[in-house]
Amino acid sequence: MVSDGKRKKRDRKSKTQTTLDPTSSTINDEVFSVNNVEIVNSTTPTSAKKHENRRGRPKKRPKHSPEKPEKPPPIINGEIGVAPPVEGVNRVVPEMDAVVKVFCVHTEPNLSLPWQRKRQYSSSSSGFVISGRRVLTNAHSVEHYTQVKLKKRGSDTKYLATVLAIGTECDIALLTVNDDEFWEGVSPVEFGELPALQDAVTVVGYPIGGDTISVTSGVVSRIEILSYVHGSTELLGLQIDAAINSGNSGGPAFNDKGECVGIAFQSLKHEDAENIGYVIPTPVIKHFIQDYERNGSYTGFPFLGIEWQKMENPDMRMAMGMKSDQKGVRIRRIDPTSPESEVLQPSDIILSFDRVDIANDGTVPFRHGERIGFSYLISQKYTGDNAVIKVLRNSTTLEFDIKLSTQRRLIPPHVKGKPPSYYIIAGFVFTTVSVPYLRSEYGKEYELEAPIKLLDKLLHSMPQSPDEQIVVVSQVLVADINIGYEDIVNTQVVAFNGKPVKNLKSLANMVENFDDEFLKFDLEYDQIVVLRTKTAKEATVDILTTHGIPSAISDDLKP
């Protein structure tokens, strides 16, 4: 997902949908793209405004009101032009020179034709300098990068950058520049605390509409757990009313003290919404940086491998044996591959997480007069940390010390720059299913166009083992050997010769080492594919030559 103006929009939401379902992986906030850019009055050039509405009837002026300038200068103690001070606030000018422009060349894998890559394209976004000779920007700004360059404000030189870490889930990337000249005269940005509602924010960056630095201002209008479009996850986020457009991605948001309180990363584009932008707050940014400093790489945000249900109904609480002073949420399902599956059980009531009580609606206290989803407490931990969970089971209170791990989904929401896996036999192209693959096959409306069984697995299925994958016949490269099978497209492979298919590597190994007369693939909907083993393997070589495919198996699957 790239915020730059030359990139197509990457979100996949229904045209009529405006809200996000926290239990679904459907994404509705749109990422910056030139297709989503809306012209707003605040960016209209001054020269254009002077010539607006020249034809037709002139504007009526209120009666008994003399003409006056649109913005009269303030008059204080008889002096004109002195700005009135705001009591208790000393506004500090942000460190503009620390904001840089990021130029990136991307080369995406072609998931529909996994043996090749797509045509490269360029993008530009924003970033800013932090301590330790490092630069922060968005992960989607450098996704599938082949080259990254940075340019300072007022400079005509682009400096080659090195990508140190990419946090896909939190949409943050860490860069550095080896050239000492880049760091001359640049002061790093200092981070501030999490702002309060109605606090003023200033977003700085290089958005579409010009080449120089741009500044927009607004206030914090909401603080809650948000859906991060690029990472397909939910973390703490800020909603602001400052204009965020294509190219603002990765730019800092400053408070009145000149401290950075977040990174601009996505906006909501909808006919019923105006100036709704989202900022990654400092707790998430600091978690990313400290994770990298502690481990030498990005390890991700931990998750509790459960699905839960609210306990707001009094009859349900009574039936579950909860006392009048007990509150919590009920566990619906547990991920079999998560550490929690060893101690937690379905229908357990989670009463608290790390000694913080959880309400019946799944929220916990958050600052004065505010509440937030208890997943915020989990996201403050690091991968491998321990947490104390108190549960109610059969009217008995139990406590467990659980080691937290990252989440693994049966259908991954992103491929993290890895080349796609594939295996070809007799023209049958086998590959694995991921969200980017569904986008590649069915476009932005893949939630409506993809096969219902794949969507059901995407939204509701959990992996039964750590290495489980959904393997499908992506397409059939037509040849004499596969006559009658040409219409098989994106159909899941359930078994090979009666043995369940666990993942693509196991399927490739079984086929390669099989010597019996017939290959038999069991597909979903009780379809089967039968091929003669000897002729199938012989035909594969000719099919690869015809389609210019260098290998019948991807490098990661080779023994």
Side-chain angles (χ1 to χ4, degrees), residues 292-310:
Y292 173 77
E293 292 174 346
R294 289 171 56 172
N295 302 292
S297 62
Y298 171 75
T299 63
F301 285 75
F303 286 85
L304 203 58
I306 64 169
E307 291 180 358
W308 54 270
Q309 177 183 3
K310 296 179 181 180

Side-chain angles (χ1 to χ4, degrees), residues 105-109 117 142-146 415-418:
V105 178
H106 311 257
T107 308
E108 286 189 0
R117 286 183 169 267
V142 294
E143 183 184 26
H144 303 302
Y145 71 92
T146 52
V415 295
K416 295 186 177 180
K418 298 178 182 178

Side-chain angles (χ1 to χ4, degrees), residues 221 238-242 244 266-268 275-279:
S221 53
L238 305 180
Q239 178 182 317
I240 63 174
D241 65 354
I244 294 180
Q266 65 188 35
S267 63
L268 177 63
N275 280 359
I276 296 181
Y278 297 103
V279 171

Side-chain angles (χ1 to χ4, degrees), residues 172 194-195 228 236-238 261-263 279-286:
I172 305 175
L194 186 68
Y228 281 45
L236 185 67
L238 305 180
V261 294
I263 304 174
V279 171
I280 304 170
T282 46
V284 179
I285 301 171
K286 291 179 179 178

